[in-house]
Amino acid sequence: MKPTIQEALNWASLFLKQHKREEKVGEILLIHVLGLSRLDFLMQLQDPMQPDQYETFKQMVESHATTGIPLQHLTGEEQFYGRTFTVTKDTLIPRQETEELIYYLLEDLNKRPHLTDVVDVGTGTGVLGITLKLERPHLNVSAVDISDAALSVAKTNAEALGAEVTMESSDFLSTLIETGQQVDVIVSNPPYIPYSDLDSLSDTVRNFDPHLALFSEEDGLYSYRTIIAGAKQVLRPHGLLAFEIGYNQNEAVTALIKRAFPDATVETKQDMFGRDRMVFMYQDV
């Protein structure tokens, strides 16, 4: 007898709860496997599932529950700023905090229409650069990453979403420095977790997000120190620098910026939970 969608959902919720995982994951995976909108899903809860769909769904739930593999790696996608992005094991899964970085940066760009050339450093899936280009089409956006695998994903996302973003291989800003390129805006969500924090992370993050995109030497500050040093050559005199940071890195990152750009204005911005999660530097205030 074929299980109904409701029965499959009930099984998944119990199985996930027993393994101390979020029960909501079951609904998300089930909607993905069935290829339904949430409204259609709710209206068809009493319909029977096809055996192949049920087996696929069951395998996904069991895999997530027992190994911690992120549901985004199972579905191959994640939502960011209202758009669907492809994600893989080679890229960091986009987070809500990074959407807030975009929100604040767009606010600043509205006040500074003369800032048009933007580089997204450590682009990963491409969410920062692609979203900026789609939200503000007049911008000239480039994106760099040291990982060729990540750049391939970013290019796929740019093409799928119709965003004209130049993608380049670069260790932070090294390629721009070598070619003498300058920009008005540098934005980055770089690796910032200290290696000493590895054991404290959830298995979903520790075992599946690429460590290249997560961890940084020097207590998590190496990435910032390197980008800030490069910014002295790449950022134009009226430029803007925007970082996502770890919740406890505000003072250290601010000090690094002020040391390199003593005349600039540095502001910390909080996420929706009131935590210091973004640092912005302005040279035109």
Side-chain angles (χ1 to χ4, degrees), residues 43-62:
M43 293 181 67
Q44 297 177 31
L45 285 173
Q46 300 311 314
D47 290 357
M49 286 188 69
Q50 295 301 316
D52 59 334
Q53 289 181 320
Y54 180 69
E55 188 59 32
T56 297
F57 170 64
K58 187 177 179 183
Q59 289 176 4
M60 283 184 169
V61 171
E62 290 176 343

Side-chain angles (χ1 to χ4, degrees), residues 165-216:
V165 176
T166 301
M167 305 283 182
E168 290 186 276
S169 177
S170 181
D171 185 3
F172 296 116
L173 291 167
S174 61
T175 296
L176 282 78
I177 294 171
E178 291 166 6
T179 56
Q181 297 179 61
Q182 288 195 313
V183 297
D184 304 312
V185 179
I186 296 172
V187 59
S188 184
N189 174 23
Y192 57 70
I193 300 176
Y195 281 96
S196 58
D197 287 355
L198 174 64
D199 292 338
S200 68
L201 299 176
S202 69
D203 58 353
T204 298
V205 175
R206 182 178 64 247
N207 297 336
F208 295 98
D209 272 332
H211 286 198
L212 183 65
L214 287 176
F215 297 101
S216 184

Side-chain angles (χ1 to χ4, degrees), residues 226-246:
T226 304
I227 295 171
I228 291 165
K232 290 180 69 66
Q233 299 179 66
V234 172
L235 198 62
R236 293 186 179 121
H238 54 267
L240 186 162
L241 176 63
F243 282 133
E244 181 176 325
I245 62 170

Side-chain angles (χ1 to χ4, degrees), residues 43-247:
M43 293 181 67
Q44 297 177 31
L45 285 173
Q46 300 311 314
D47 290 357
M49 286 188 69
Q50 295 301 316
D52 59 334
Q53 289 181 320
Y54 180 69
E55 188 59 32
T56 297
F57 170 64
K58 187 177 179 183
Q59 289 176 4
M60 283 184 169
V61 171
E62 290 176 343
S63 180
H64 172 75
T66 57
T67 71
I69 185 172
L71 67 93
Q72 294 91 342
H73 286 185
L74 294 169
T75 64
E77 61 186 35
E78 176 62 309
Q79 298 296 308
F80 185 86
Y81 226 79
R83 300 179 178 94
T84 301
F85 284 80
T86 293
V87 298
T88 74
K89 63 180 178 58
D90 299 307
T91 58
L92 190 68
I93 297 167
R95 264 70 166 184
Q96 178 179 298
E97 292 87 352
T98 310
E99 288 191 334
E100 295 181 88
L101 177 64
I102 286 282
Y103 173 81
Y104 284 116
L105 182 53
L106 289 173
E107 275 195 337
D108 283 337
L109 292 176
N110 288 341
K111 302 171 188 174
R112 300 169 173 83
H114 56 289
L115 303 183
T116 58
D117 296 331
V118 182
V119 62
D120 167 19
V121 181
T123 193
T125 54
V127 292
L128 284 173
I130 291 169
T131 302
L132 287 170
K133 180 62 179 180
L134 293 175
E135 293 294 319
R136 298 292 183 273
H138 73 281
L139 296 175
N140 303 312
V141 181
S142 60
V144 298
D145 204 296
I146 195 173
S147 167
D148 289 337
L151 278 176
S152 179
V153 176
K155 289 176 182 177
T156 296
N157 282 321
E159 291 171 4
L161 293 167
E164 294 184 10
V165 176
T166 301
M167 305 283 182
E168 290 186 276
S169 177
S170 181
D171 185 3
F172 296 116
L173 291 167
S174 61
T175 296
L176 282 78
I177 294 171
E178 291 166 6
T179 56
Q181 297 179 61
Q182 288 195 313
V183 297
D184 304 312
V185 179
I186 296 172
V187 59
S188 184
N189 174 23
Y192 57 70
I193 300 176
Y195 281 96
S196 58
D197 287 355
L198 174 64
D199 292 338
S200 68
L201 299 176
S202 69
D203 58 353
T204 298
V205 175
R206 182 178 64 247
N207 297 336
F208 295 98
D209 272 332
H211 286 198
L212 183 65
L214 287 176
F215 297 101
S216 184
E217 301 283 357
E218 301 176 19
D219 291 327
L221 296 176
Y222 173 79
S223 300
Y224 299 109
R225 185 173 283 112
T226 304
I227 295 171
I228 291 165
K232 290 180 69 66
Q233 299 179 66
V234 172
L235 198 62
R236 293 186 179 121
H238 54 267
L240 186 162
L241 176 63
F243 282 133
E244 181 176 325
I245 62 170
Y247 72 94

